[in-house]
Amino acid sequence: VTDVAGFALRDRLKDLQFLTFAFSSEPRHLLHSLSPIPPLYPDSSPTMAPQPVLAPLFSLFLLFFLASSESHYQRGDPVMLYVNKVGPYHNPQETYHYYQLPVCSPDKIRHKSLTLGEVLDGDRMAESMYKIRFRENVEKEVLCEMQLSTERVERLRQAIEELYYFEFVVDDLPLRGFVGYMEESGFLPHSHKIGLWTHLDFHFEWNGDRIIYANVSVRDVKPTSLDDVRSPGVLSVTHTYSVRWSETTLERRGDRRGSRSEDDGFFPRTLEIHWLSIINSMVLVFLLVGFVVVILMRVLKNDLARYNLDEEASSSSSGDDFDQGDNGWKIIHTDVFRFPACRSLLCAVLGVGSQFLALGTGIIIMALLGMFSVHRHGAINSAAILLYALTCCVSGYVSSNFYRQIGGERWVWNILLTTSLFSAPFFLTWSVVNSVHWANGSTQALPATTILLLLTVWLLVGFPLTVIGGIFGKNRAGPFDAPCRTKNIAREIPPQPWYKSTLVHMTIGGFLPFSAISVELYYIFATVWGREQYTLYGILFFVFAILLSVGACISIALTYFQLSGEDYRWWWRSVLSAGSTGLFIFLYSVFYYSRRSNMSGVVQTVEFFGYSLLTGYVFFLMLGTISFFASLKFIRYIYVNLKMD
């Protein structure tokens, strides 16, 4: 771990030494053939990106739970400011190392130790040249003087035109600002002015021995023009900074949120409690669920009464022709529990879907308990990896247990299929996305040792837990216990009208759950793919519960209508009906990209659509699982209450 001797962070770094990544301190050669901004040191040795060291495996599980503690200072103690990354403002996942720009940099770049979540988030923190001391103001201090060649000026112009912003970090508090200034005005004559911010004003607020707030601004500062440089001229630039400290009565970080004007924030803060939209969705959902439940129960009650009455009237005369005169869902009672094709794949879908249901519920509960903070970089990423590894036993247990119930014998193949059903598409998507980041020199590209660490976690934790869960599920599996006997010869299915086709059921079953979350989906996209900070976890939990409820109700209704048409192929149809919500979510992501965002470029586009496909796939697995088990429970209920020989 990088030694930050003399700073207050040293004690915390010692405590985290066995959990964090050791970073080398030499600049790394970055591939720049496709990079928007070439590296500052094209001839240096290839060690600039942080290189994590494989720690003991159990440290990964402790890593997330060690909260980043605030540092404590005495007056005059040095406060380390770390430079982190730069990138286009409208492309949140396209980030580069700060020192790739022609800016003031030390002779020897020393990186800060980072957690796994920070590395996954694209952070690459390095020590800066700013000399900041606790509660000591600084006015117009010279940082460095630079002679910018025409090539370097052109790289700065390109960055400013693409609205590059920078991110610094002080005591786990982010500070963000734009690299430069651009002004477009008029049509005839047209003016295009570009300037570089060469002076930064740092403002810190303290309470006792802690830093509560940090901000950087360029107010009342005139930018240095980059328009007058002509080849082969050289531009002389002097970078300066000021530091201002003020005392505050706030005790905790984040208490000042909402109490200051929006000018203090770099990213927009529009995620307010959107009660009106949520109430609108709630009313629509409750009306839908109530309509489905009331109508379905009345129809079902009439069906049961009619079928049971017919059975009592014909029991003495029907003899062997039990099915004569019957219609609707009763007539297929000898086929409705006929096991489907591709049983192993169906069970794998149910197992992985159950795993992601547990994973999503766990993430939301942890957020409700306050375990995620906007000041902890990559905390949710670390939690997701941790929970995914631990919940692999759920997928193995559910898949193997149900597979054995429906007569499956190749349980080893079933476990292998279960463990690769999500990991294989994820690895393929990640490989493409990571390769694009690596080719463009982005900090989002994971170092090789981080990849080995994650692969080791999956091989030593995730896969073994899947196998263990599968063994327990197989051994604890009982008989399927269908309430009706299944005949050896399948009944012929009558022709179905167009509105009972699979495509129509998928459209209805996918659109209704999607409509229940469409409002909240915008805010989630604005957080993941934008600059918002989502903290309304209570509303998120409520919407998640609504989504599952709507998916289950609409699945039961569609299954009933399918059985009423004497079509007993409900197994896969129930998965596809509500699972098609994932397709609607992906279509919404296309709409969001083209109409609601300003994202552009190959790097951001590949990442957005790659992970949007995975997101839709995950929702397909989750809602398909809920839909299937709700339909199975419903079918068992109606046939148990049906009187028959």
Side-chain angles (χ1 to χ4, degrees), residues 425-478:
F426 174 80
F427 179 77
L428 179 62
T429 304
W430 171 85
S431 298
V432 174
V433 173
N434 198 70
S435 298
V436 172
H437 280 297
W438 177 79
N440 286 271
S442 171
T443 59
Q444 297 288 336
L446 295 183
T449 42
T450 303
I451 298 172
L452 291 177
L453 173 63
L454 297 177
L455 183 60
T456 302
V457 170
W458 184 80
L459 290 175
L460 298 184
V461 180
F463 181 71
L465 284 179
T466 306
V467 175
I468 294 173
I471 294 174
F472 273 94
K474 176 180 69 73
N475 294 334
R476 295 177 62 89

Short mmCIF file of all heavy atoms in Angstrom, two decimals, residues 425-478:
data_model
loop_
_atom_site.label_atom_id
_atom_site.label_comp_id
_atom_site.label_asym_id
_atom_site.label_seq_id
_atom_site.Cartn_x
_atom_site.Cartn_y
_atom_site.Cartn_z
N PRO A 425 -22.96 -15.15 -20.67
CA PRO A 425 -23.30 -13.90 -21.37
C PRO A 425 -22.63 -12.68 -20.75
O PRO A 425 -22.22 -11.76 -21.46
CB PRO A 425 -24.82 -13.81 -21.26
CG PRO A 425 -25.27 -15.21 -21.02
CD PRO A 425 -24.18 -15.86 -20.24
N PHE A 426 -22.51 -12.67 -19.42
CA PHE A 426 -21.86 -11.54 -18.76
C PHE A 426 -20.40 -11.45 -19.16
O PHE A 426 -19.88 -10.36 -19.46
CB PHE A 426 -21.99 -11.66 -17.25
CG PHE A 426 -21.23 -10.61 -16.50
CD1 PHE A 426 -21.74 -9.34 -16.35
CD2 PHE A 426 -19.98 -10.88 -15.95
CE1 PHE A 426 -21.04 -8.36 -15.68
CE2 PHE A 426 -19.27 -9.91 -15.27
CZ PHE A 426 -19.80 -8.65 -15.14
N PHE A 427 -19.69 -12.58 -19.15
CA PHE A 427 -18.28 -12.56 -19.51
C PHE A 427 -18.09 -12.13 -20.96
O PHE A 427 -17.16 -11.37 -21.27
CB PHE A 427 -17.67 -13.95 -19.29
CG PHE A 427 -16.21 -14.03 -19.65
CD1 PHE A 427 -15.24 -13.50 -18.81
CD2 PHE A 427 -15.81 -14.61 -20.85
CE1 PHE A 427 -13.90 -13.56 -19.15
CE2 PHE A 427 -14.48 -14.67 -21.20
CZ PHE A 427 -13.51 -14.15 -20.34
N LEU A 428 -18.95 -12.59 -21.86
CA LEU A 428 -18.84 -12.20 -23.26
C LEU A 428 -19.06 -10.70 -23.43
O LEU A 428 -18.28 -10.01 -24.12
CB LEU A 428 -19.86 -12.98 -24.09
CG LEU A 428 -19.89 -12.67 -25.59
CD1 LEU A 428 -18.56 -13.01 -26.24
CD2 LEU A 428 -21.03 -13.42 -26.27
N THR A 429 -20.10 -10.17 -22.78
CA THR A 429 -20.38 -8.73 -22.87
C THR A 429 -19.26 -7.92 -22.25
O THR A 429 -18.79 -6.92 -22.83
CB THR A 429 -21.71 -8.40 -22.17
OG1 THR A 429 -22.75 -9.19 -22.75
CG2 THR A 429 -22.05 -6.93 -22.31
N TRP A 430 -18.82 -8.33 -21.08
CA TRP A 430 -17.74 -7.59 -20.42
C TRP A 430 -16.46 -7.62 -21.24
O TRP A 430 -15.72 -6.62 -21.28
CB TRP A 430 -17.48 -8.20 -19.03
CG TRP A 430 -16.26 -7.63 -18.39
CD1 TRP A 430 -16.17 -6.47 -17.67
CD2 TRP A 430 -14.94 -8.17 -18.47
NE1 TRP A 430 -14.87 -6.26 -17.28
CE2 TRP A 430 -14.09 -7.30 -17.76
CE3 TRP A 430 -14.40 -9.31 -19.05
CZ2 TRP A 430 -12.74 -7.53 -17.62
CZ3 TRP A 430 -13.05 -9.54 -18.92
CH2 TRP A 430 -12.23 -8.66 -18.21
N SER A 431 -16.16 -8.72 -21.89
CA SER A 431 -14.94 -8.82 -22.69
C SER A 431 -14.94 -7.79 -23.81
O SER A 431 -13.93 -7.12 -24.07
CB SER A 431 -14.79 -10.23 -23.27
OG SER A 431 -14.68 -11.19 -22.25
N VAL A 432 -16.09 -7.64 -24.47
CA VAL A 432 -16.18 -6.66 -25.56
C VAL A 432 -16.05 -5.25 -25.00
O VAL A 432 -15.28 -4.42 -25.52
CB VAL A 432 -17.52 -6.83 -26.31
CG1 VAL A 432 -17.70 -5.73 -27.34
CG2 VAL A 432 -17.58 -8.20 -26.98
N VAL A 433 -16.78 -4.95 -23.93
CA VAL A 433 -16.75 -3.60 -23.36
C VAL A 433 -15.36 -3.27 -22.83
O VAL A 433 -14.83 -2.18 -23.08
CB VAL A 433 -17.81 -3.48 -22.24
CG1 VAL A 433 -17.68 -2.14 -21.52
CG2 VAL A 433 -19.21 -3.62 -22.82
N ASN A 434 -14.76 -4.20 -22.11
CA ASN A 434 -13.44 -3.94 -21.54
C ASN A 434 -12.39 -3.77 -22.64
O ASN A 434 -11.46 -2.96 -22.49
CB ASN A 434 -13.04 -5.08 -20.61
CG ASN A 434 -11.92 -4.70 -19.67
OD1 ASN A 434 -12.10 -3.89 -18.76
ND2 ASN A 434 -10.74 -5.27 -19.89
N SER A 435 -12.51 -4.52 -23.72
CA SER A 435 -11.55 -4.39 -24.82
C SER A 435 -11.65 -3.01 -25.46
O SER A 435 -10.63 -2.40 -25.82
CB SER A 435 -11.81 -5.47 -25.87
OG SER A 435 -11.62 -6.76 -25.32
N VAL A 436 -12.88 -2.50 -25.61
CA VAL A 436 -13.05 -1.16 -26.18
C VAL A 436 -12.45 -0.11 -25.25
O VAL A 436 -11.75 0.82 -25.70
CB VAL A 436 -14.55 -0.88 -26.43
CG1 VAL A 436 -14.77 0.57 -26.84
CG2 VAL A 436 -15.08 -1.82 -27.51
N HIS A 437 -12.66 -0.23 -23.95
CA HIS A 437 -12.06 0.70 -22.99
C HIS A 437 -10.54 0.62 -23.04
O HIS A 437 -9.84 1.64 -23.02
CB HIS A 437 -12.56 0.39 -21.57
CG HIS A 437 -13.92 0.93 -21.28
ND1 HIS A 437 -14.21 2.27 -21.28
CD2 HIS A 437 -15.09 0.30 -20.98
CE1 HIS A 437 -15.49 2.46 -20.98
NE2 HIS A 437 -16.04 1.28 -20.79
N TRP A 438 -10.01 -0.59 -23.10
CA TRP A 438 -8.56 -0.76 -23.11
C TRP A 438 -7.95 -0.16 -24.37
O TRP A 438 -6.91 0.50 -24.32
CB TRP A 438 -8.24 -2.26 -23.02
CG TRP A 438 -6.79 -2.56 -23.11
CD1 TRP A 438 -5.86 -2.46 -22.12
CD2 TRP A 438 -6.09 -3.04 -24.27
NE1 TRP A 438 -4.62 -2.83 -22.59
CE2 TRP A 438 -4.74 -3.19 -23.90
CE3 TRP A 438 -6.48 -3.34 -25.57
CZ2 TRP A 438 -3.77 -3.64 -24.80
CZ3 TRP A 438 -5.52 -3.78 -26.47
CH2 TRP A 438 -4.19 -3.93 -26.08
N ALA A 439 -8.60 -0.37 -25.50
CA ALA A 439 -8.07 0.17 -26.76
C ALA A 439 -8.08 1.69 -26.78
O ALA A 439 -7.25 2.31 -27.44
CB ALA A 439 -8.88 -0.38 -27.93
N ASN A 440 -9.00 2.30 -26.03
CA ASN A 440 -9.08 3.76 -25.99
C ASN A 440 -8.36 4.37 -24.79
O ASN A 440 -8.45 5.57 -24.57
CB ASN A 440 -10.55 4.19 -25.98
CG ASN A 440 -11.22 4.03 -27.33
OD1 ASN A 440 -11.21 4.92 -28.15
ND2 ASN A 440 -11.78 2.85 -27.57
N GLY A 441 -7.68 3.54 -24.00
CA GLY A 441 -6.93 4.07 -22.87
C GLY A 441 -7.78 4.56 -21.72
O GLY A 441 -7.34 5.41 -20.94
N SER A 442 -9.00 4.07 -21.58
CA SER A 442 -9.89 4.53 -20.53
C SER A 442 -9.57 3.85 -19.21
O SER A 442 -9.12 2.70 -19.16
CB SER A 442 -11.35 4.23 -20.92
OG SER A 442 -12.23 4.48 -19.85
N THR A 443 -9.80 4.57 -18.12
CA THR A 443 -9.58 3.99 -16.79
C THR A 443 -10.65 2.97 -16.43
O THR A 443 -10.52 2.28 -15.42
CB THR A 443 -9.56 5.09 -15.72
OG1 THR A 443 -10.81 5.80 -15.75
CG2 THR A 443 -8.44 6.08 -15.98
N GLN A 444 -11.72 2.88 -17.21
CA GLN A 444 -12.74 1.87 -16.95
C GLN A 444 -12.25 0.47 -17.31
O GLN A 444 -12.89 -0.51 -16.91
CB GLN A 444 -14.00 2.19 -17.75
CG GLN A 444 -14.66 3.51 -17.38
CD GLN A 444 -15.36 3.46 -16.04
OE1 GLN A 444 -15.74 2.39 -15.56
NE2 GLN A 444 -15.53 4.61 -15.41
N ALA A 445 -11.17 0.37 -18.07
CA ALA A 445 -10.60 -0.94 -18.40
C ALA A 445 -9.93 -1.52 -17.15
O ALA A 445 -9.07 -0.88 -16.54
CB ALA A 445 -9.59 -0.81 -19.53
N LEU A 446 -10.32 -2.72 -16.76
CA LEU A 446 -9.79 -3.32 -15.54
C LEU A 446 -8.38 -3.83 -15.76
O LEU A 446 -8.09 -4.43 -16.81
CB LEU A 446 -10.69 -4.47 -15.09
CG LEU A 446 -12.11 -4.11 -14.65
CD1 LEU A 446 -12.84 -5.35 -14.16
CD2 LEU A 446 -12.09 -3.05 -13.56
N PRO A 447 -7.49 -3.64 -14.79
CA PRO A 447 -6.16 -4.25 -14.87
C PRO A 447 -6.25 -5.77 -14.84
O PRO A 447 -7.22 -6.35 -14.35
CB PRO A 447 -5.45 -3.71 -13.62
CG PRO A 447 -6.23 -2.50 -13.22
CD PRO A 447 -7.65 -2.77 -13.63
N ALA A 448 -5.22 -6.42 -15.37
CA ALA A 448 -5.24 -7.88 -15.49
C ALA A 448 -5.37 -8.56 -14.13
O ALA A 448 -6.06 -9.58 -14.00
CB ALA A 448 -3.99 -8.36 -16.21
N THR A 449 -4.71 -8.01 -13.11
CA THR A 449 -4.75 -8.66 -11.80
C THR A 449 -6.12 -8.53 -11.14
O THR A 449 -6.52 -9.40 -10.38
CB THR A 449 -3.67 -8.05 -10.90
OG1 THR A 449 -3.66 -6.62 -11.08
CG2 THR A 449 -2.31 -8.61 -11.26
N THR A 450 -6.84 -7.44 -11.43
CA THR A 450 -8.22 -7.33 -10.93
C THR A 450 -9.11 -8.38 -11.59
O THR A 450 -9.97 -8.98 -10.95
CB THR A 450 -8.77 -5.93 -11.20
OG1 THR A 450 -7.93 -4.96 -10.60
CG2 THR A 450 -10.18 -5.79 -10.63
N ILE A 451 -8.89 -8.60 -12.88
CA ILE A 451 -9.64 -9.63 -13.59
C ILE A 451 -9.36 -11.00 -12.98
O ILE A 451 -10.28 -11.80 -12.77
CB ILE A 451 -9.28 -9.61 -15.09
CG1 ILE A 451 -9.65 -8.25 -15.70
CG2 ILE A 451 -9.99 -10.73 -15.83
CD1 ILE A 451 -9.16 -8.08 -17.12
N LEU A 452 -8.10 -11.27 -12.68
CA LEU A 452 -7.75 -12.56 -12.06
C LEU A 452 -8.39 -12.69 -10.69
O LEU A 452 -8.82 -13.78 -10.30
CB LEU A 452 -6.24 -12.69 -11.96
CG LEU A 452 -5.48 -12.87 -13.29
CD1 LEU A 452 -3.98 -12.91 -13.03
CD2 LEU A 452 -5.93 -14.13 -14.00
N LEU A 453 -8.45 -11.59 -9.95
CA LEU A 453 -9.08 -11.63 -8.62
C LEU A 453 -10.55 -11.99 -8.72
O LEU A 453 -11.05 -12.86 -8.01
CB LEU A 453 -8.91 -10.28 -7.93
CG LEU A 453 -9.65 -10.10 -6.60
CD1 LEU A 453 -9.12 -11.08 -5.56
CD2 LEU A 453 -9.54 -8.68 -6.10
N LEU A 454 -11.27 -11.32 -9.63
CA LEU A 454 -12.70 -11.60 -9.79
C LEU A 454 -12.93 -13.01 -10.30
O LEU A 454 -13.87 -13.69 -9.87
CB LEU A 454 -13.32 -10.58 -10.73
CG LEU A 454 -13.27 -9.12 -10.27
CD1 LEU A 454 -13.85 -8.20 -11.33
CD2 LEU A 454 -14.00 -8.94 -8.96
N LEU A 455 -12.07 -13.47 -11.21
CA LEU A 455 -12.19 -14.83 -11.72
C LEU A 455 -11.94 -15.85 -10.61
O LEU A 455 -12.62 -16.88 -10.51
CB LEU A 455 -11.22 -15.05 -12.88
CG LEU A 455 -11.28 -16.41 -13.57
CD1 LEU A 455 -12.67 -16.65 -14.17
CD2 LEU A 455 -10.20 -16.52 -14.64
N THR A 456 -10.97 -15.54 -9.75
CA THR A 456 -10.68 -16.43 -8.63
C THR A 456 -11.86 -16.50 -7.66
O THR A 456 -12.20 -17.58 -7.14
CB THR A 456 -9.43 -15.94 -7.88
OG1 THR A 456 -8.33 -15.90 -8.80
CG2 THR A 456 -9.09 -16.86 -6.72
N VAL A 457 -12.50 -15.36 -7.43
CA VAL A 457 -13.67 -15.34 -6.54
C VAL A 457 -14.78 -16.23 -7.11
O VAL A 457 -15.42 -17.00 -6.39
CB VAL A 457 -14.18 -13.90 -6.35
CG1 VAL A 457 -15.52 -13.88 -5.63
CG2 VAL A 457 -13.15 -13.09 -5.57
N TRP A 458 -15.00 -16.14 -8.42
CA TRP A 458 -16.04 -16.96 -9.02
C TRP A 458 -15.68 -18.44 -8.98
O TRP A 458 -16.54 -19.29 -8.69
CB TRP A 458 -16.27 -16.52 -10.47
CG TRP A 458 -17.39 -17.25 -11.13
CD1 TRP A 458 -18.73 -17.01 -11.00
CD2 TRP A 458 -17.29 -18.38 -12.01
NE1 TRP A 458 -19.47 -17.90 -11.75
CE2 TRP A 458 -18.60 -18.76 -12.38
CE3 TRP A 458 -16.22 -19.10 -12.52
CZ2 TRP A 458 -18.86 -19.82 -13.23
CZ3 TRP A 458 -16.47 -20.17 -13.38
CH2 TRP A 458 -17.78 -20.52 -13.73
N LEU A 459 -14.41 -18.76 -9.23
CA LEU A 459 -14.01 -20.16 -9.25
C LEU A 459 -13.96 -20.78 -7.85
O LEU A 459 -14.27 -21.96 -7.68
CB LEU A 459 -12.63 -20.31 -9.91
CG LEU A 459 -12.58 -20.05 -11.42
CD1 LEU A 459 -11.13 -20.11 -11.92
CD2 LEU A 459 -13.44 -21.06 -12.17
N LEU A 460 -13.58 -19.99 -6.86
CA LEU A 460 -13.39 -20.53 -5.51
C LEU A 460 -14.58 -20.29 -4.58
O LEU A 460 -14.65 -20.89 -3.51
CB LEU A 460 -12.13 -19.94 -4.87
CG LEU A 460 -10.80 -20.24 -5.59
CD1 LEU A 460 -9.64 -19.67 -4.80
CD2 LEU A 460 -10.63 -21.74 -5.79
N VAL A 461 -15.49 -19.40 -4.97
CA VAL A 461 -16.64 -19.10 -4.12
C VAL A 461 -17.95 -19.36 -4.87
O VAL A 461 -18.79 -20.16 -4.44
CB VAL A 461 -16.60 -17.66 -3.59
CG1 VAL A 461 -17.81 -17.37 -2.71
CG2 VAL A 461 -15.32 -17.40 -2.83
N GLY A 462 -18.14 -18.65 -5.98
CA GLY A 462 -19.42 -18.74 -6.69
C GLY A 462 -19.72 -20.12 -7.22
O GLY A 462 -20.80 -20.68 -6.94
N PHE A 463 -18.80 -20.70 -7.97
CA PHE A 463 -19.05 -22.03 -8.54
C PHE A 463 -19.19 -23.11 -7.48
O PHE A 463 -20.11 -23.93 -7.54
CB PHE A 463 -17.94 -22.37 -9.54
CG PHE A 463 -18.13 -23.70 -10.20
CD1 PHE A 463 -19.13 -23.90 -11.13
CD2 PHE A 463 -17.31 -24.77 -9.87
CE1 PHE A 463 -19.31 -25.14 -11.75
CE2 PHE A 463 -17.47 -26.00 -10.47
CZ PHE A 463 -18.48 -26.19 -11.41
N PRO A 464 -18.30 -23.17 -6.47
CA PRO A 464 -18.49 -24.19 -5.42
C PRO A 464 -19.82 -24.05 -4.68
O PRO A 464 -20.46 -25.06 -4.37
CB PRO A 464 -17.31 -23.96 -4.48
CG PRO A 464 -16.26 -23.33 -5.32
CD PRO A 464 -17.02 -22.47 -6.28
N LEU A 465 -20.25 -22.82 -4.42
CA LEU A 465 -21.54 -22.65 -3.74
C LEU A 465 -22.69 -23.11 -4.62
O LEU A 465 -23.70 -23.64 -4.11
CB LEU A 465 -21.73 -21.19 -3.34
CG LEU A 465 -20.94 -20.70 -2.12
CD1 LEU A 465 -21.22 -19.23 -1.85
CD2 LEU A 465 -21.27 -21.54 -0.89
N THR A 466 -22.57 -22.92 -5.93
CA THR A 466 -23.60 -23.43 -6.83
C THR A 466 -23.68 -24.95 -6.76
O THR A 466 -24.77 -25.54 -6.72
CB THR A 466 -23.31 -22.99 -8.28
OG1 THR A 466 -23.17 -21.57 -8.33
CG2 THR A 466 -24.44 -23.40 -9.21
N VAL A 467 -22.52 -25.60 -6.75
CA VAL A 467 -22.48 -27.06 -6.67
C VAL A 467 -23.04 -27.55 -5.33
O VAL A 467 -23.85 -28.49 -5.28
CB VAL A 467 -21.04 -27.57 -6.88
CG1 VAL A 467 -20.98 -29.08 -6.68
CG2 VAL A 467 -20.54 -27.19 -8.27
N ILE A 468 -22.62 -26.89 -4.25
CA ILE A 468 -23.11 -27.29 -2.92
C ILE A 468 -24.63 -27.11 -2.84
O ILE A 468 -25.36 -27.98 -2.34
CB ILE A 468 -22.40 -26.48 -1.83
CG1 ILE A 468 -20.91 -26.84 -1.79
CG2 ILE A 468 -23.05 -26.72 -0.46
CD1 ILE A 468 -20.09 -25.98 -0.85
N GLY A 469 -25.12 -25.95 -3.33
CA GLY A 469 -26.57 -25.75 -3.33
C GLY A 469 -27.29 -26.77 -4.19
O GLY A 469 -28.37 -27.24 -3.83
N GLY A 470 -26.68 -27.15 -5.32
CA GLY A 470 -27.28 -28.17 -6.17
C GLY A 470 -27.36 -29.52 -5.49
O GLY A 470 -28.36 -30.24 -5.64
N ILE A 471 -26.31 -29.89 -4.77
CA ILE A 471 -26.32 -31.17 -4.07
C ILE A 471 -27.40 -31.20 -2.99
O ILE A 471 -28.15 -32.17 -2.86
CB ILE A 471 -24.93 -31.44 -3.46
CG1 ILE A 471 -23.90 -31.64 -4.59
CG2 ILE A 471 -24.97 -32.66 -2.55
CD1 ILE A 471 -22.48 -31.78 -4.10
N PHE A 472 -27.49 -30.12 -2.21
CA PHE A 472 -28.53 -30.05 -1.19
C PHE A 472 -29.92 -30.07 -1.84
O PHE A 472 -30.84 -30.74 -1.34
CB PHE A 472 -28.37 -28.79 -0.35
CG PHE A 472 -27.43 -28.94 0.80
CD1 PHE A 472 -26.09 -28.60 0.69
CD2 PHE A 472 -27.88 -29.45 2.01
CE1 PHE A 472 -25.23 -28.75 1.75
CE2 PHE A 472 -27.03 -29.60 3.09
CZ PHE A 472 -25.69 -29.25 2.96
N GLY A 473 -30.09 -29.34 -2.92
CA GLY A 473 -31.39 -29.32 -3.59
C GLY A 473 -31.79 -30.67 -4.13
O GLY A 473 -32.95 -31.08 -4.03
N LYS A 474 -30.82 -31.40 -4.71
CA LYS A 474 -31.11 -32.73 -5.25
C LYS A 474 -31.50 -33.70 -4.14
O LYS A 474 -32.44 -34.49 -4.29
CB LYS A 474 -29.88 -33.24 -6.00
CG LYS A 474 -30.02 -34.65 -6.55
CD LYS A 474 -28.76 -35.07 -7.26
CE LYS A 474 -27.60 -35.25 -6.30
NZ LYS A 474 -27.76 -36.48 -5.48
N ASN A 475 -30.77 -33.65 -3.06
CA ASN A 475 -31.03 -34.61 -1.97
C ASN A 475 -32.32 -34.31 -1.21
O ASN A 475 -32.92 -35.22 -0.62
CB ASN A 475 -29.84 -34.61 -1.00
CG ASN A 475 -28.58 -35.15 -1.64
OD1 ASN A 475 -28.64 -35.94 -2.59
ND2 ASN A 475 -27.43 -34.73 -1.14
N ARG A 476 -32.73 -33.05 -1.20
CA ARG A 476 -33.93 -32.68 -0.45
C ARG A 476 -35.18 -32.62 -1.34
O ARG A 476 -36.25 -32.24 -0.87
CB ARG A 476 -33.73 -31.32 0.22
CG ARG A 476 -32.66 -31.32 1.29
CD ARG A 476 -32.45 -29.93 1.85
NE ARG A 476 -33.65 -29.43 2.50
CZ ARG A 476 -33.97 -29.61 3.78
NH1 ARG A 476 -33.15 -30.32 4.56
NH2 ARG A 476 -35.06 -29.10 4.29
N ALA A 477 -35.03 -32.97 -2.60
CA ALA A 477 -36.16 -32.89 -3.52
C ALA A 477 -37.15 -34.02 -3.24
O ALA A 477 -36.76 -35.19 -3.12
CB ALA A 477 -35.68 -32.95 -4.96
N GLY A 478 -38.42 -33.68 -3.17
CA GLY A 478 -39.47 -34.68 -3.02
C GLY A 478 -40.17 -34.91 -4.34
O GLY A 478 -39.77 -34.37 -5.38
#
